[in-house]
Amino acid sequence: MAQPLMPHATASWMVDNTALSFEQIADFCGLHILEVQAIADDTAATKLTGRDPVRTHEVTQEEIDKGSADPDYRLKMIKGPEQVRRTKGPRYTPVSKRQDKPDGIAWIIRNHPEITDGAISNLIGTTRTTIAAIRDRSHWNIANITPKDPVTLGLTTQRELDAAVGKAAKAAGIEAPTDTRLEGDREALIGQLRAERQAAHDLAEQGGEAAPKPLFDDPFKR
């Protein structure tokens, strides 16, 4: 599915200027719903400048109005931006994250053995030789490899991992496992947001300034 050229900036604009739900915005921008919630509560790493997708001809105002009136409606792009795609070779991974690849591979092998080596290679951006070595524990550094979630490590996205798991499960004729991690993430995010708001409130009181009002009383209610 086509996505906006600048998904985070587009999500920021939609949060501030529309009545769309977090789920609708996440779906349109190709983001995880927690990313949209963080943007809405100004907890993103940097303050984003909104990008109007109507002015950039990525969606019509009519589509936004339809979505605002129906929470189950999924917005459709007019035309997705041209994407530069690699046609050959493994996915590029920043040098700072390459040492984490074996841990991510080990996590997938342990938790989703139905995923093929080819699919893992596409997700992580590695070779089948490395995957096979980790799978049969002949890897030169196997003693120091600790299975870690590749999404948490920043090696792939949750959407891509879920898609790979679903495709592998279908091919194997088994039911795809239900991911319950979002429940824990949701509670963790709520606790983090409450703590940050309380800290900001306490700091404002000490400085004699009015505490800033949060954008929403609850990050999961519009």
Side-chain angles (χ1 to χ4, degrees):
M1 179 179 176
Q3 298 172 1
L5 183 62
M6 301 175 65
H8 290 86
T10 301
S12 180
W13 184 90
M14 286 182 158
V15 166
D16 291 337
N17 297 277
T18 74
L20 297 169
S21 68
F22 290 154
E23 186 176 358
Q24 287 174 307
I25 296 173
D27 181 79
F28 179 77
C29 295
L31 302 175
H32 195 288
I33 189 171
L34 292 180
E35 293 180 89
V36 178
Q37 290 160 349
I39 290 171
D41 285 83
D42 293 335
T43 59
T46 57
K47 178 61 179 175
L48 298 171
T49 300
R51 182 173 187 267
D52 185 349
V54 177
R55 294 186 62 182
T56 56
H57 306 292
E58 292 176 336
V59 71
T60 63
Q61 185 60 49
E62 288 74 19
E63 278 290 293
I64 292 178
D65 292 340
K66 285 182 183 179
S68 299
D70 180 6
D72 296 323
Y73 184 76
R74 292 295 176 261
L75 276 66
K76 300 178 180 63
M77 290 194 69
I78 297 175
K79 180 182 179 181
E82 295 295 327
Q83 301 287 342
V84 178
R85 299 182 181 276
R86 290 173 57 93
T87 56
K88 294 182 179 180
R91 164 182 299 194
Y92 174 77
T93 303
V95 175
S96 61
K97 294 184 180 297
R98 291 179 190 176
Q99 62 185 11
D100 296 328
K101 283 186 178 184
D103 292 344
I105 295 169
W107 186 93
I108 295 176
I109 291 173
R110 185 187 68 180
N111 292 279
H112 300 289
E114 70 278 7
I115 298 182
T116 65
D117 288 359
I120 296 175
S121 177
N122 290 334
L123 277 175
I124 305 297
T126 188
T127 65
R128 300 193 185 202
T129 301
T130 299
I131 298 169
I134 295 174
R135 192 183 290 277
D136 64 20
R137 301 190 64 78
S138 62
H139 190 277
W140 67 272
N141 195 35
I142 193 66
N144 297 315
I145 294 177
T146 303
K148 295 179 183 177
D149 187 341
V151 175
T152 303
L153 294 174
L155 298 173
T156 187
T157 67
Q158 189 63 55
R159 279 173 175 259
E160 290 173 327
L161 178 60
D162 290 344
V165 171
K167 184 177 180 180
K170 183 177 181 180
I174 61 177
E175 184 177 352
T178 301
D179 189 352
T180 59
R181 287 175 298 171
L182 180 58
E183 298 174 3
D185 289 345
R186 182 179 187 275
E187 295 302 319
L189 181 62
I190 290 176
Q192 178 184 346
L193 295 178
R194 285 175 177 168
E196 290 178 355
R197 283 198 290 267
Q198 184 61 47
H201 176 79
D202 294 343
L203 183 62
E205 284 192 339
Q206 294 173 8
E209 300 178 1
K213 183 179 180 181
L215 185 58
F216 301 107
D217 291 334
D218 188 310
F220 297 90
K221 294 181 180 180
R222 295 300 303 264

